[in-house]
Amino acid sequence: MGIVTGEKEFFKGIGQIKYEGPQSDNPLAFRWYDADKVIAGKPMKDHLRFACAYWHSFCGNGADPFGEPTHIFPWSLKDDAIERAKDKMDAAFEFITKMNLPFYCFHDVDIVDYTNDINENDRRLQTMVGYAKQKQEDSGVKLLWGTSNLFSNRRYMNGAATNPNFHVLAHAGTQVKAALDATIALGGENYVFWGGREGYMTLLNTDMKREQEHLAKFLHTAKDYARKQGFNGNFFIEPKPCEPTKHQYDYDAATVLGFLQKYGLIDDFKLNLEVNHATLAGHTFQHDLQVAADAGLLGSIDANRGDYQNGWDTDQFPNDITEVTEYMLIILQAGGFGGGGINFDAKIRRNSTDPADLFYAHIGGMDIFARALVIADNILQKSDYKKIRADRYASFDSGAGKDFEAGKLSLEDLRKYAVENGEPETISGKQEYLENLINRYI
Ligand code: XUL
Ligand code: CO
């Protein structure tokens, strides 16, 4: 895969980012991500399946609720919407190929500006799909997932699929149809639903049961349409507990699993889990990963991190090796992602205004996951980590414990066992031992 630029080079002075190894002090090189290096039976790039998030990297402009944009992109200057969108896509593919990122992800509105004219939107999106197709062919970069933005337009202020007004729901369906068509045309491997406005601000005006039924019906309708068009990929739901809505229906991994089960969606949908969403739900990311993995529905992740001192979605790039090692332990043991990968749903800070900052951010994120992959594989191959966990449950491997697991014991049997065997011995959970073990391999 070589660098693909448009007529103009947007990131001048920055070439192909290459692997130089841990000893390198070049800030524009990988120290751990060695795409073709084989770990646990397959190349790093196939374990990690990194993706660039179009919205944060090429649309977000550094504005915050208190201040105007600080990122004045040279690809956002042209007057004509299509010309501007093409410049943006040129910049995106230049960046993605310089970074050696195998995938990208987008919302419909990231690719080209939307208007309130449905037919014009279709025309715009189709034009840009043609442009993207060529870029994908030239570069070998693939679409990890597409999605539709059903939260920014003011019509969605009371929800999209869960809006109390059917007319709004019809517009949401219109947008999903076009975004699915675009995803399918571009060979997208998955399609994501993140319901930022699917929830409520107050129960005083909300029929929660009816809204959730509408959401399920909407997902069925979208899924049936995509399958009819020949889409074989996965649908992912991305949980988040709140923000922008006070209470979102797709609260966390466990809530979404229950919802998929209840409404007969479990065979087509998996989870796209995001670090900062799990922490906003009061969980560690490891917790949500394990919940999804145990259900066999760990589809993909949105990699980022929050800030321990505040309670909103700061979408910072990941940089904590201990935490990311713990993620990779769960992901490796789950057998990897179910069709997805690692999408950097993360943004550089408002005051990170050098063109190189976007590179540093992604290099750091890719390196930390690559390094964590190596460490986690070492822990699983060489240490007693797995054995310690298995041994904690040894009392269920034989005798009465095994009979209990097999459903052969009654409550009376449990009492009899307790009377006969007296007080259980005190057994350590070895938490500090295991924490030290992780650090030893780091
Ligand atoms: C918002 C978020 C979204 C989804 C896609 O918190 O994570 O960017 O990933 O709509
Ligand atoms: Co996300």
Side-chain angles (χ1 to χ4, degrees), residues 240-270:
K240 188 176 183 182
C242 55
E243 195 201 10
T245 302
K246 174 182 162 59
H247 184 103
Q248 282 166 220
Y249 293 136
D250 299 328
Y251 193 94
D252 61 0
T255 308
V256 172
L257 289 176
F259 174 88
L260 295 176
Q261 191 82 55
K262 178 172 177 185
Y263 291 104
L265 291 159
I266 203 115
D267 292 336
D268 293 275
F269 284 76
K270 292 180 181 150

Side-chain angles (χ1 to χ4, degrees), residues 295-317:
L297 296 180
L298 174 55
S300 202
I301 68 170
D302 273 8
N304 59 23
R305 74 177 204 275
D307 179 307
Y308 291 120
Q309 275 72 50
N310 63 32
W312 69 91
D313 197 7
T314 58
D315 282 337
Q316 288 165 254
F317 276 80

